[in-house]
Amino acid sequence: GLSNLGNTCFMNSILQSLNAVPELAAAFYHPPERIWSSKAVVAPAYSGLVRDMISGSLGSVVNPSGFLRKVSKQDSRWGDGRQQDSQEFLNSLLEALQSECNRITSKPVYKELQGKGSEEVQAAEAYVYARTWNDSIVDDTFGGLTQSTLQCLACKRTSHTFEPFLGLAVPIPQAAGAVADCLSAFTECEQLEGEDSYKCEACKRCQPHAKRMQIFRPPRVLVLTLKRFAQRGGGHGTPGGYGGFFSRLRGGGTSKNNTALIAVSHHSGSLEGGHYTAQARSCLDGQWYNFNDSHVRQEAGRPGGASSSAYVLFYRMATLPPPSQHSSL
């Protein structure tokens, strides 16, 4: 377990979830030479914490105060003693690790993408260009590519934009029965008319458009944040059904349900306060555990059924694409 240092359950929940990601745990438990820059602050502190957490026995408690001091230098919010959002902490930590472990040592040259050829060619161009800016263990593990498609409803001209991501926030639709329903709502086609219309390059004027967002290249580990707080006034709950849903995604051989849930960051209580816990599958023994700060208990199995507290979910591809580099615990 991890000691609560005063409203740091948000941090503990994410740290336990990340420790269930084998690629990340392996990289920081046995860090390769020069995995982080000489000026790194967060990465070496995180590595030390990962070693303490993995080396500890069941029932032992690790004090993360040293790590908290270092990560608070990168963002002072985490050490101010107030409750924070676990998803915001996750984003901040991954961005810090991405920056400090970046294999790109010189600033790349900005260029406009051509946007020509097939969707696959455009996506490959965007992905390769993105990796000239950020190329790290974080990108290897969590980096994916979204595809935004715009179609003019007048002339049917279609254009595509591909963007890198480390995680996605998905809405909770009415009567959502599974996380797959949230992903379907994220990829739902949207009609853009009136003030929201776009100028069509073919028509040379503003026209109504249809817009659709998709995941073109799924990452090795997909992080989904359920937009619980943004929709609380609308009466949306958190869906149950944590199973794989890559059958809804495009690209990367995702025609089958080939994902596995490996961790969940839970939030219970109000937006202004509440408490964070985690459920995670150990990358050491494959067992599921419930993490409530310093208290840890083994679960009977993976989470299932309805949940009113699930907030950030971590899915790992069961059939992994070839890694750019690989290590094991």
Side-chain angles (χ1 to χ4, degrees), residues 6-21:
N7 289 324
T8 57
C9 56
F10 69 92
M11 177 184 75
N12 292 347
S13 174
I14 291 301
L15 291 173
Q16 297 289 10
S17 297
L18 288 177
N19 231 27
V21 179

Side-chain angles (χ1 to χ4, degrees), residues 24-327:
L24 201 68
F28 285 94
Y29 186 75
H30 290 303
E33 186 178 0
R34 291 195 293 268
I35 186 177
W36 52 70
S37 69
S38 59
K39 297 181 180 180
V41 174
V42 176
Y46 180 68
S47 179
L49 181 62
V50 167
R51 288 196 295 270
D52 290 343
M53 293 170 67
I54 291 178
S55 301
S57 59
L58 184 63
S60 63
V61 179
V62 174
N63 188 323
S65 58
F67 168 77
L68 180 60
R69 284 194 300 270
K70 298 297 185 181
V71 79
S72 296
K73 289 184 178 181
Q74 185 260 343
D75 191 325
S76 60
R77 286 180 296 170
W78 316 133
D80 66 4
R82 292 183 293 182
Q83 182 66 281
Q84 301 290 346
D85 186 294
S86 70
Q87 186 257 349
E88 292 181 3
F89 174 77
L90 172 64
N91 289 346
S92 177
L93 176 58
L94 290 184
E95 288 173 3
L97 296 177
Q98 180 188 51
S99 175
E100 295 184 351
C101 298
N102 199 350
R103 303 179 189 109
I104 307 299
T105 57
S106 58
K107 186 176 180 179
V109 177
Y110 173 81
K111 71 172 185 177
E112 293 286 343
L113 300 182
Q114 295 296 314
K116 298 179 180 179
S118 66
E119 294 175 41
E120 288 74 17
V121 169
Q122 294 181 53
E125 180 191 28
Y127 181 77
V128 170
Y129 179 62
R131 293 301 287 253
T132 66
W133 288 84
N134 293 297
D135 184 15
S136 68
I137 180 62
V138 173
D139 301 282
D140 296 342
T141 306
F142 301 100
L145 206 64
T146 58
Q147 175 187 10
S148 176
T149 300
L150 273 176
Q151 184 179 55
C152 176
L153 298 181
C155 71
K156 305 304 180 184
R157 180 184 183 274
T158 301
S159 61
H160 308 281
T161 303
F162 298 89
E163 296 286 346
F165 71 89
L166 298 179
L168 298 173
V170 296
I172 304 175
Q174 292 282 2
V179 177
D181 298 326
C182 300
L183 196 65
S184 294
F186 174 79
T187 60
E188 196 171 65
C189 191
E190 179 184 6
Q191 301 293 322
L192 303 176
E193 300 176 317
E195 294 182 354
D196 296 325
S197 62
Y198 278 77
K199 181 180 180 179
C200 175
E201 294 298 324
C203 298
K204 305 300 181 183
R205 56 180 292 189
C206 286
Q207 297 281 23
H209 279 71
K211 181 180 180 180
R212 187 183 185 192
M213 184 73 74
Q214 296 172 283
I215 299 177
F216 190 90
R217 182 189 177 108
R220 296 164 67 84
V221 175
L222 177 65
V223 180
L224 293 180
T225 300
L226 304 181
K227 292 184 177 180
R228 290 175 48 202
F229 301 136
Q231 299 173 224
R232 181 159 295 182
H236 298 285
T238 303
Y242 293 105
F245 49 80
F246 267 116
S247 58
R248 307 282 183 105
L249 306 190
R250 296 190 53 193
T254 56
S255 60
K256 297 180 180 180
N257 289 340
N258 58 353
T259 64
L261 181 74
I262 57 172
V264 184
S265 172
H266 291 272
H267 177 273
S268 57
S270 67
L271 175 62
E272 294 75 21
H275 184 59
Y276 288 95
T277 59
Q279 289 175 289
R281 181 182 181 273
S282 170
C283 58
L284 296 178
D285 61 16
Q287 300 297 314
W288 278 88
Y289 293 88
N290 181 288
F291 298 93
N292 185 356
D293 290 328
S294 59
H295 302 285
V296 180
R297 72 170 188 272
Q298 186 172 336
E299 301 272 38
R302 65 186 295 277
S307 171
S308 61
S309 60
Y311 182 37
V312 184
L313 300 96
F314 297 74
Y315 288 88
R316 184 172 183 263
M317 291 184 69
T319 304
L320 293 172
S324 59
Q325 67 176 34
H326 180 74
S327 58

